[in-house]
Amino acid sequence: MTDSVHDFVERLAAVELGPACTNFFNNEVPENALRRHNLELYLQEMLERGPKVLLVGEAPGFRGMRITGVPFTNRVILGGPANSFGLFGPGKGYVLPPDAVGVAAEPTATVLWQVLEEVGFLPLLWSAFPWHTHNPGQPLSNRTPRPSETQLGTPFWQELAELFGVTSIVAVGNVAQHSLQRSGLSAPKIRHPAHGGRSGFKQGLEQLLESGMQA
C-alpha cells in the first residue's frame, strides 16, 4: 500500500458524523478494519490502472459499500471471480466482514459493473458522501444525504482526483451534480443506474466516450 492511500483511508475513518449517519471505516469498531483494508486494496488496484475519469455517485447503500468498504460493490462482486477488468476476485486479499453474511446484494452495484464491462470503460468510483446515511434509528435503511452532509465529502473526492491525476469528473445523478456544483466544479451529469436507470446510465457513458472523454 502506498502511504498516501493508507493516510487517505485513515482520514476517512476519523470523520465524525451525525446520528443518522454511519462511518463504517471508524477505528472504534473492530470489523471496520476489514472495510478499510478492502478500500485500500481497491484504490491500490486502481492506481495501478491509472484511470483519468472519476465517477462521483451519491452515497453508499446499506447492502453495498456499507458492507464491503468499496464504492459501488456488494458482497457478490467482492467475493466472486475477478471481472473483465481484472479487479477483485480470489487471491487479491479482499475480505467480506462477518456482517455481510445473509445480506442481499445491492442491485445498483451489479448493474453499474455490468454496464462498465459492456462499454469497456473503467473509471475510478466514489461518492459525494462516502459514508452511510440512513433514517434516524434505522441503520438498515438508505437516506439521501443533505447538502450540509455532502460538504463533508468534498475534500475526499478532491483528494482522490489529485492523487490519481484525474482529468474528468462526472456526476452520477442529481445529488452528486449538486455537490460538485457547490464546490465550484461544473461537471457533466449522467443518469444514476438505480431505480430503472440502467439504459440511461449506459447511454450517458457512451455519449461521453463518443465526445472524446478518455478513461
Side-chain angles (χ1 to χ4, degrees):
M1 303 295 174
T2 63
D3 289 341
S4 55
V5 165
H6 176 75
D7 292 344
F8 173 84
V9 175
E10 287 301 315
R11 283 193 293 276
L12 199 66
V15 174
E16 295 185 5
L17 304 172
C21 305
T22 300
N23 185 342
F24 46 87
F25 296 114
N26 188 305
N27 282 282
E28 295 179 6
V29 179
E31 292 81 0
N32 289 345
L34 297 177
R35 284 178 264 269
R36 294 193 301 275
H37 171 75
N38 288 341
L39 179 57
E40 288 191 30
L41 280 177
Y42 165 72
L43 293 175
Q44 191 61 48
E45 278 205 272
M46 291 303 294
L47 274 173
E48 293 167 1
R49 288 158 175 78
K52 296 306 175 187
V53 177
L54 171 63
L55 292 192
V56 179
E58 180 178 306
F62 75 94
R63 296 183 295 171
M65 185 181 179
R66 163 70 182 83
I67 290 292
T68 65
V70 180
F72 286 102
T73 62
N74 54 39
R75 63 176 180 79
V76 174
I77 292 170
L78 209 67
N83 59 27
S84 63
F85 301 111
L87 282 173
F88 313 124
K92 298 285 188 63
Y94 291 99
V95 181
L96 286 171
D99 53 0
V101 176
V103 175
E106 183 178 68
T108 299
T110 300
V111 169
L112 179 136
W113 282 102
Q114 286 174 348
V115 171
L116 292 180
E117 292 188 66
E118 288 171 9
V119 300
F121 173 60
L122 179 62
L124 180 65
L125 302 174
W126 198 246
S127 297
F129 186 81
W131 307 278
H132 180 223
T133 47
H134 55 80
N135 297 320
Q138 300 176 32
L140 299 184
S141 65
N142 293 324
R143 173 179 62 80
T144 301
R146 294 184 282 273
S148 59
E149 292 171 329
T150 58
Q151 285 182 347
L152 288 174
T154 296
F156 291 94
W157 64 255
Q158 290 175 332
E159 184 175 347
L160 281 182
E162 183 176 350
L163 177 63
F164 280 80
V166 162
T167 56
S168 299
I169 299 178
V170 178
V172 182
N174 293 327
V175 171
Q177 183 187 42
H178 294 158
S179 176
L180 296 176
Q181 288 175 339
R182 282 191 294 272
S183 73
L185 180 67
S186 178
K189 183 192 76 171
I190 58 176
R191 175 80 158 84
H192 197 287
H195 308 299
R198 186 190 201 282
S199 61
F201 175 68
K202 183 176 182 179
Q203 183 180 22
L205 278 180
E206 289 175 333
Q207 290 174 345
L208 287 173
L209 291 170
E210 289 170 4
S211 72
M213 183 179 69
Q214 299 295 318

